[in-house]
Amino acid sequence: MDNLMLILGKPDNIPIIMMLVLFGFFTWLWWREARKNDKLIREGRYCELQAENNDRIFTWPYLARIEFLAAILVMVILTVWSIVLDAPLELPANPAKTPNPSKAPWYFLGLQEMLVYFDPWIAGVIFPTIIIVGLMAIPYIDRNPKGNGYYTWDERKFAISTFLFGFFALWIALIFVGTFLRGPGWNFFAPWDYWDPHKVVAMVNVDLHQFFGIRSSVVAFLFGGFVVTAYFALGVLYYYWKKKTDFVQKLGAARYGVLAFLFLCMMGLPIKMLLRWLFNIKYVWITPWFNI
Amino acid sequence: MQAFLNKMRDSVTKTQVWKSVFRHGYEDTPRNRYLQVLDNVWLHLHPTRIPRHAGYVRFTWCMGGITFLLFLVTAVTGVLLMFYYRPTAEYAYSDMKFLEFDVPFGMFLRNMHRWAAHGMVITVWLHMFRVFLTGSYKPPREFNWVVGIILLTATLLLSFTGYLLPWDQLSIWAVTVGTNMARATPLLGHEGPFGPELGMRPDNDVRFVLLGGTQVGPPTLLRFYVLHCIFFPIFLCIFIAVHFWRIRKDGGISGPL
Ligand code: HEM
């Protein structure tokens, strides 16, 4: 417990706590607004929302005053924060003395946490690229014209639940784990544990082909390649299965392809996490050049 | 008495000097409300009138504006910090100590810069979150969402490059861990898939370019300093300008059509 208080109290970790509180609050606010709007829409009163949009108010004073008040409030909070909490400054840089654990800045700890499940070329390079490109692709993939300019849940269930899952379960939660639950050797420590640098962790991980008793490395290579290809082929199968549905029709083949690829990449992370937790699987596919 | 005060006021406001500065009166008339926005270089980023819901905090959460404010705070405090900071391995750390113990309000300045930067990371995520939840990336605002993602990436990199500058254990090891990933870049890193096959070595791959060496050292400090104080701030300014311009060109704040 002392240990947890120590990490919680690190100046750079205070923002994480604030972030969790803020996200909790704003998610609640979204939900309240969304349910209100959904009810209006169900009752056929969408025009009331439109009326509000068409009703104009003066920027001066109605918007300007909110901006000024918000600015003052933020500056007050920031000033108080800067008075009561000092920015950290540890011992001078020493390349010969590696701290254990070494952690990236907190906003990148989600990526560092992914290193437990994927090799650096995926967790550190491919995933960040896919996240950035995938986020940029959102407006071009999501062809649902509804829910543009107001909070809703009923009209965009797939889009919103995917985003919430990716953002909260695969980004914020991993930052939390990486910051507060990972100790020396990047081993997992429960909040009440003491961070023992000599913690012994049994090396029980196996690769997927070993799990199935495959010995020959050539067969293992082919097997792993097959599993990975088959995983992405699921997207193709689903396409032919649901081809006639409205959802796929509206998307078209190209958009569907991009969406399926991004979605499967995203789900690869929780799948690999489960494989690790349940079966101690390390790699699915081993090749001479890279491992997945 | 009233007449006297009015005369006093007129003697100030009915002069050539006053009128050359303030182009309209302050009586509460619709015309002045328009002019207040139009005649002001800062406020004229706004339209003169906005949809009713755009004035509600529960709609925008004010997050774009707060992100911008925090960016301005980091810019101002950052310039002040630059007066006291030298980006070399000999001086960087002692300059931090000097700021802390000798410069009046030096520690306060540093704190404000750091917390505004961390705050900005949080508010930019919240802003993205709200833009997603209101579906504001949908046509015609697709491209502004893309600009937003560029801003988000630049914000994180701005913060990351700054993290190294105190040159203490916390900063060099955080940056070491962060930049170690670059070794594993496919094709371009010496530990990445097909990197060695293409002739990548620790002393010529993409990480070497980033660090100016095979490990985080004095050249890295200078590189990150230049990126942090010059490149990313200018980059961000340019894209924030595009972002704001596009908000107006895309028809102002989104709303139910
Ligand atoms: C440095 C970072 C950023 C700054 C300073 C900034 C600033 C702003 C401001 C002041 C607004 C006006 C409305 C509001 O406050 O919500 C706005 C709107 C918008 N922002 Fe940003 N933003 C930033 C990053 C982003 C990011 C990361 C995204 C999305 C990925 C984004 C997408 C948008 C979109 C689509 C709008 C239009 C919203 C609407 O019409 O409802 N921006 N931005």
Side-chain angles (χ1 to χ4, degrees):
Chain A
M1 210 63 202
D2 296 356
N3 202 54
L4 182 75
M5 294 323 281
L6 209 70
I7 323 165
L8 277 179
K10 280 206 173 170
D12 271 4
N13 291 343
I14 303 290
I16 307 184
I17 316 281
M18 297 183 34
M19 175 181 72
L20 295 177
V21 174
L22 285 171
F23 269 103
F25 171 74
F26 281 111
T27 309
W28 168 80
L29 189 67
W30 156 67
W31 184 247
R32 201 191 67 170
E33 294 295 303
R35 292 327 275 170
K36 228 163 50 188
N37 290 347
D38 286 343
K39 186 154 170 287
L40 279 181
I41 294 166
R42 263 200 312 278
E43 291 167 358
R45 289 157 66 195
Y46 181 68
C47 52
E48 285 177 27
L49 289 176
Q50 288 169 313
E52 195 164 79
N53 188 28
N54 292 329
D55 182 17
R56 303 276 139 163
I57 56 174
F58 279 110
T59 299
W60 184 274
Y62 299 111
L63 178 61
R65 74 180 176 197
I66 293 176
E67 290 178 339
F68 291 158
L69 281 175
I72 292 171
L73 186 70
V74 171
M75 290 312 293
V76 168
I77 293 174
L78 196 58
T79 307
V80 172
W81 189 5
S82 306
I83 290 172
V84 298
L85 192 69
D86 278 346
L89 188 65
E90 299 188 348
L91 293 174
N94 181 354
K97 202 160 153 263
T98 315
N100 187 10
S102 290
K103 294 190 179 187
W106 63 268
Y107 36 83
F108 286 150
L109 280 190
L111 296 172
Q112 199 175 350
E113 177 63 16
M114 286 178 205
L115 282 173
V116 175
Y117 307 99
F118 285 102
D119 276 359
W121 70 277
I122 301 186
V125 185
I126 301 293
F127 270 167
T129 313
I130 290 186
I131 293 171
I132 293 172
V133 174
L135 283 171
M136 286 181 177
I138 288 178
Y140 306 97
I141 303 174
D142 181 359
R143 298 303 290 168
N144 177 3
K146 290 194 182 149
N148 184 346
Y150 54 96
Y151 293 103
T152 173
W153 160 247
D154 284 347
E155 296 186 326
R156 303 171 56 208
K157 281 186 181 156
F158 174 69
I160 291 181
S161 43
T162 311
F163 191 85
L164 289 184
F165 178 72
F167 196 62
F168 284 132
L170 302 183
W171 186 251
I172 304 282
L174 290 195
I175 290 179
F176 183 85
V177 174
T179 312
F180 297 114
L181 305 178
R182 291 292 182 181
W186 207 256
N187 286 320
F188 185 90
F189 290 87
W192 50 87
D193 285 347
Y194 159 70
W195 277 18
D196 178 5
H198 305 295
K199 178 173 174 173
V200 179
V201 183
M203 301 278 242
V204 289
N205 287 343
V206 293
D207 298 327
L208 191 65
H209 63 269
Q210 293 167 327
F211 190 76
F212 284 103
I214 296 171
R215 296 284 170 104
S216 143
S217 62
V218 178
V219 180
F221 171 76
L222 294 175
F223 172 73
F226 173 76
V227 171
V228 173
T229 316
Y231 176 63
F232 282 99
L234 285 179
V236 183
L237 283 182
Y238 189 83
Y239 179 76
Y240 284 104
W241 182 33
K242 294 280 180 183
K243 206 171 167 185
K244 294 279 176 317
T245 57
D246 230 30
F247 177 69
V248 174
Q249 286 287 318
K250 263 199 206 124
L251 279 172
R255 278 201 197 90
Y256 174 86
V258 177
L259 172 62
F261 174 74
L262 292 172
F263 188 79
L264 288 169
C265 284
M266 177 170 123
M267 294 315 285
L269 179 61
I271 288 175
K272 194 107 192 264
M273 290 163 102
L274 284 178
L275 283 179
R276 177 68 56 82
W277 297 337
L278 299 178
F279 307 111
N280 296 311
I281 303 285
K282 185 159 170 64
Y283 292 122
V284 173
W285 186 16
I286 303 230
T287 80
W289 312 279
F290 60 84
N291 303 323
I292 291 178
Chain B
M1 185 65 190
Q2 190 62 41
F4 174 71
L5 284 179
N6 283 348
K7 223 175 116 195
M8 285 291 286
R9 189 193 62 206
D10 287 352
S11 69
V12 176
T13 59
K14 297 235 162 103
T15 58
Q16 188 186 359
V17 173
W18 180 273
K19 281 184 185 164
S20 71
V21 181
F22 301 102
R23 287 307 173 81
H24 58 86
Y26 201 76
E27 301 87 69
D28 188 7
T29 62
R31 184 167 181 278
N32 280 343
R33 287 183 174 194
Y34 283 125
L35 290 176
Q36 184 70 26
V37 173
L38 285 179
D39 277 1
N40 182 300
V41 65
W42 311 116
L43 286 174
H44 99 284
L45 283 171
H46 293 305
T48 51
R49 295 186 313 150
I50 53 168
R52 177 168 291 278
H53 69 270
Y56 294 153
V57 174
R58 64 171 183 270
F59 184 76
T60 61
W61 307 349
C62 272
M63 276 307 154
I66 292 177
T67 309
F68 185 51
L69 173 70
L70 291 176
F71 176 63
L72 294 179
V73 172
T74 50
V76 172
T77 50
V79 168
L80 293 175
L81 287 172
M82 284 171 81
F83 287 126
Y84 297 99
Y85 177 84
R86 287 162 292 177
T88 58
E90 291 94 321
Y91 296 126
Y93 185 78
S94 53
D95 284 349
M96 302 310 286
K97 285 284 182 203
F98 184 68
L99 264 165
E100 183 169 347
F101 294 112
D102 289 319
V103 178
F105 295 106
M107 196 60 201
F108 178 72
L109 199 61
R110 203 190 140 210
N111 291 345
M112 196 166 230
H113 189 71
R114 193 178 191 95
W115 303 138
H118 284 232
M120 191 176 161
V121 170
I122 299 173
T123 56
V124 80
W125 287 353
L126 278 166
H127 174 57
M128 176 178 81
F129 193 48
R130 113 65 194 148
V131 170
F132 183 87
L133 290 176
T134 53
S136 303
Y137 58 81
K138 299 189 178 204
R141 296 182 182 77
E142 303 102 312
F143 183 65
N144 217 13
W145 169 271
V146 176
V147 173
I149 300 295
I150 294 172
L151 286 171
L152 171 81
T153 315
T155 305
L156 291 177
L157 292 177
L158 184 61
S159 212
F160 183 63
T161 47
Y163 213 85
L164 182 63
L165 304 187
W167 205 240
D168 64 344
Q169 280 290 72
L170 186 65
S171 56
I172 69 155
W173 288 102
V175 169
T176 301
V177 169
T179 50
N180 265 344
M181 303 295 132
R183 294 174 206 258
T185 313
L187 310 179
L188 297 178
H190 71 274
E191 285 176 6
F194 309 108
E197 283 81 356
L198 288 174
M200 289 300 155
R201 296 186 313 268
D203 61 355
N204 70 355
D205 68 349
V206 57
R207 178 168 164 277
F208 184 82
V209 174
L210 200 65
L211 298 185
T214 52
Q215 59 172 347
V216 175
T220 321
L221 181 58
L222 185 55
R223 258 169 222 222
F224 274 43
Y225 175 79
V226 173
L227 290 173
H228 183 73
C229 301
I230 297 179
F231 179 76
F232 283 118
I234 293 179
F235 184 88
L236 224 68
C237 285
I238 292 173
F239 278 90
I240 288 177
V242 175
H243 196 58
F244 288 177
W245 167 257
R246 284 302 289 239
I247 296 173
R248 293 293 302 276
K249 291 292 136 182
D250 293 341
I253 197 89
S254 58
L257 297 169

